[in-house]
Amino acid sequence: MFPINLGIVGVGKIVRDQHLPSIAKSAEFNLVATASRQGTVEGVPAYKTIEEMLDAVPSLQAVSLCMPPQYRYDAAHKALSAGKHVFLEKPPGATLSEVADLEATAAAKSVSLFASWHSRYAPAVEPARAFLASTSIKSVEVIWKEDVRHWHPNQAWIWQAGGLGVFDPGINALSIVTHILPRAAFITSATLEFPENCDAPIAAELHFKDANDLSVHAVFDWRQTGKQTWDIIAETEAGTMILSEGGAKLSINGELKFSEPEQEYASLYSRFAQVIAAGRSDVDLAPLRHVADAFLLGKRKVVAAFFD
Ligand code: NAP
């Protein structure tokens, strides 16, 4: 069954940074085509749209959809309907309902849908999960603060409705939190800060609790210059756990317990191959549900206009 003939749609930043190097090393996927209005990959047949690619390359078995989330559903629906397995970049869509529809379409067509959460494959995430399972958690603090001008220069879609704003990186934190906590938590209050000229927030503060009244507090901010922070700190009966650098490092009571080079996208493609081989889908909507809840429940604060 391997290698699987793969097409990529939306050749942009994340494709160049992560997908192409990981696919090049993968024994399970062979990149045979791209569909992108402007982006191309040297040596790989290029089409402008997914329709053209599907028509021209009948041997295609799977597609990775890497365009902004607002434009992903139509491409995903076309690919699944054509009998192709689909890898969705994060967040898996612009709404919960459209992703549920894709899941049903994948089941009806007997193909696999994979909603990827790359941060869950950061190297210290599984050790953090194991540590938290071994103790009792008193509180959790999530701090995700970065400089949007550095990480997302001139990405207009991110400020438009459905682009998620600061939840674009924040959902990475939520994908880790939903994976490492022993019980599901839910938002009890939130404040979202919208620049007066944008339809998506630049900062957010979220309070969660779970059935045992565990307090989880998260602060996401895109106005951070200087040191960037992607930390999850848990106070536990066994001491303080700090999962830092977006899940790359784990320390407990100040002692570094785990630090390894990241291989997030290599792991994502291995997982996609596993899901296809098993004949099933992997679609966990918990991180996107929290973002939707923040928009449902959050107070809206208008702040200074943002210019790139
Ligand atoms: P990007 O470079 O701005 O967009 C990717 C490509 O999508 C663009 O090059 C463009 O290709 C296509 N595209 C843009 N607007 C479109 C539209 N209106 N309709 C159809 N296609 C459009 O974005 P990115 O940073 O790669 O992010 C893409 C996705 O990956 C997002 O969901 C993001 O959250 C996720 N992601 C990004 C990162 C990161 O570090 N950047 C990390 C992990 C995940 P053409 O113009 O050639 O069609």
Side-chain angles (χ1 to χ4, degrees):
M1 114 175 271
F2 299 115
I4 288 172
N5 288 332
L6 179 76
I8 286 186
V9 187
V11 177
K13 184 170 189 313
I14 194 58
V15 168
R16 294 187 199 293
D17 288 356
Q18 296 287 352
H19 288 256
L20 296 178
S22 299
I23 295 164
K25 287 189 208 137
S26 167
E28 292 150 328
F29 292 94
N30 191 12
L31 183 63
V32 297
T34 62
S36 211
R37 297 163 310 173
Q38 298 160 79
T40 58
V41 176
E42 204 185 329
V44 178
Y47 304 89
K48 292 283 180 204
T49 66
I50 185 163
E51 292 89 338
E52 283 176 40
M53 181 174 75
L54 291 172
D55 281 350
V57 193
S59 61
L60 205 63
Q61 294 166 289
V63 294
S64 290
L65 302 183
C66 306
M67 69 286 269
Q70 300 101 314
Y71 312 105
R72 213 172 281 140
Y73 172 84
D74 285 346
H77 194 261
K78 279 181 185 123
L80 293 169
S81 300
K84 315 300 177 191
H85 307 293
V86 169
F87 174 127
L88 299 170
E89 250 301 347
K90 53 69 44 173
T95 70
L96 291 163
S97 305
E98 69 183 38
V99 186
D101 183 66
L102 294 177
E103 207 177 352
T105 306
K109 298 296 289 184
S110 301
V111 290
S112 298
L113 179 66
F114 178 40
S116 70
W117 298 110
H118 66 88
S119 291
R120 283 189 179 167
Y121 295 87
V125 166
E126 289 305 328
R129 185 182 199 211
F131 172 74
L132 293 179
S134 73
T135 182
S136 173
I137 311 170
K138 297 178 187 167
S139 65
V140 178
E141 182 78 20
V142 181
I143 308 164
W144 231 249
K145 293 184 176 180
E146 60 176 52
D147 181 355
V148 66
R149 287 190 174 87
H150 177 79
W151 299 104
H152 297 281
N154 305 313
Q155 288 189 319
W157 60 266
I158 219 158
W159 295 107
Q160 293 161 1
L164 294 196
V166 76
F167 287 105
D168 178 79
I171 204 168
N172 297 334
L174 296 174
S175 74
I176 297 176
V177 169
T178 49
H179 186 67
I180 64 176
L181 290 187
R183 287 176 302 278
F186 48 90
I187 291 181
T188 54
S189 68
T191 304
L192 313 187
E193 295 184 39
F194 288 76
E196 63 182 14
N197 59 341
C198 299
D199 289 325
I202 195 164
E205 182 175 10
L206 315 171
H207 292 273
F208 302 73
K209 70 171 187 172
D210 74 2
N212 289 11
D213 261 346
L214 173 70
S215 158
V216 180
H217 176 233
V219 183
F220 303 154
D221 203 320
W222 249 350
R223 297 164 297 198
Q224 180 86 352
T225 52
K227 187 180 180 297
Q228 309 284 283
T229 311
W230 299 285
D231 290 350
I232 297 171
I233 302 156
E235 296 299 338
T236 77
E237 295 290 345
T240 303
M241 180 202 90
I242 304 181
L243 181 60
S244 59
E245 297 181 19
K249 287 188 179 168
L250 178 71
S251 49
I252 294 164
N253 291 325
E255 191 186 329
L256 185 63
K257 295 283 187 190
F258 197 89
S259 171
E260 282 190 7
E262 72 90 7
Q263 299 209 347
E264 294 177 13
Y265 277 76
S267 305
L268 283 182
Y269 275 99
S270 297
R271 176 69 185 153
F272 188 33
Q274 264 177 18
V275 165
I276 293 171
R280 59 186 204 83
S281 287
D282 176 353
V283 181
D284 178 9
L285 288 176
L288 188 60
R289 224 165 32 227
H290 285 315
V291 174
D293 284 355
F295 279 93
L296 275 173
L297 201 59
K299 287 185 186 167
R300 186 188 173 108
K301 197 169 146 189
V302 177
V303 297
F306 174 83
F307 301 99
D308 248 323

